[in-house]
Amino acid sequence: MKRLGNTIGLLCLIGLLYLPIRAFIDEMDGPKTDPLLIIYVDEWKKDMKDNNIDYSHFYNIKSIQITHNLGSHGLADERYRTIHISDTIISMGDATMRNAIYHELGHYVFSLEHPKKHCIMYKDNLGNDYYKYNWPTLKSNYINKILNI
């Protein structure tokens, strides 16, 4: 009977430790990301790795999600550790969605501000065609900006 009690106690202890350990492991994997945005987040991470950029603050983000009625194209909310991408971005095209992810991650991870010239961090949407045809230059300038922080 004592052995059964010890076994039950051990199982309870394992159960109590499981949740915090699981939460820690989940955070190590990165934020919970909307399936429509994963491809762009993975591309951003690859670009950071390829350029030897420390993006460890990325792992503080809890979620990257599509949000309805956001009022802007995106929002990096450090208080709630969430990046919101507006649902209106989805219909604007792949290049616009990619730009929105890079833009909001630029705010959250590197504290990048909105400049006055057209670039990934520009405050207004420049249109899917603009992002599509200018992406190599936009991305190069973005990475150089991060490298020079």
Side-chain angles (χ1 to χ4, degrees):
M1 193 65 156
K2 185 175 180 179
R3 187 177 223 183
L4 179 62
N6 288 344
T7 303
I8 291 172
L10 181 62
L11 290 174
C12 288
L13 181 61
I14 290 170
L16 287 173
L17 293 175
Y18 174 78
L19 292 177
I21 291 170
R22 183 71 241 167
F24 177 75
I25 290 169
D26 286 345
E27 277 200 18
M28 297 278 301
D29 292 340
K32 180 179 177 189
T33 303
D34 186 284
L36 289 174
L37 303 174
I38 288 173
I39 187 172
Y40 308 110
V41 172
D42 287 347
E43 180 181 328
W44 180 89
K45 287 169 39 181
K46 182 181 183 316
D47 284 337
M48 298 305 106
K49 286 178 190 171
D50 289 351
N51 288 281
N52 297 315
I53 295 172
D54 175 13
Y55 64 99
S56 55
H57 191 56
F58 170 81
Y59 293 96
N60 292 337
I61 303 169
K62 285 178 90 172
S63 69
I64 301 173
Q65 61 192 37
I66 295 173
T67 304
H68 304 290
N69 301 319
L70 187 57
S72 66
H73 293 304
L75 174 69
D77 186 346
E78 289 201 48
R79 181 176 178 197
Y80 293 103
R81 298 171 46 204
T82 302
I83 289 181
H84 300 274
I85 301 297
S86 174
D87 60 339
T88 60
I89 290 289
I90 297 167
S91 63
M92 293 182 184
D94 289 345
T96 302
M97 286 176 39
R98 175 183 295 109
N99 189 80
I101 288 294
Y102 278 66
H103 181 103
E104 296 309 328
L105 287 169
H107 284 311
Y108 194 102
V109 177
F110 303 110
S111 300
L112 297 179
E113 299 290 329
H114 293 139
K116 292 183 179 172
K117 66 178 190 166
H118 291 179
C119 64
I120 287 174
M121 295 307 299
Y122 191 67
K123 66 182 176 115
D124 295 326
N125 184 345
L126 300 171
N128 197 65
D129 286 343
Y130 182 86
Y131 298 127
K132 182 178 179 180
Y133 297 117
N134 293 290
W135 189 251
T137 302
L138 291 168
K139 184 171 78 169
S140 176
N141 292 340
Y142 176 84
I143 288 169
N144 285 332
K145 175 76 172 171
I146 293 166
L147 289 170
N148 290 310
I149 293 176

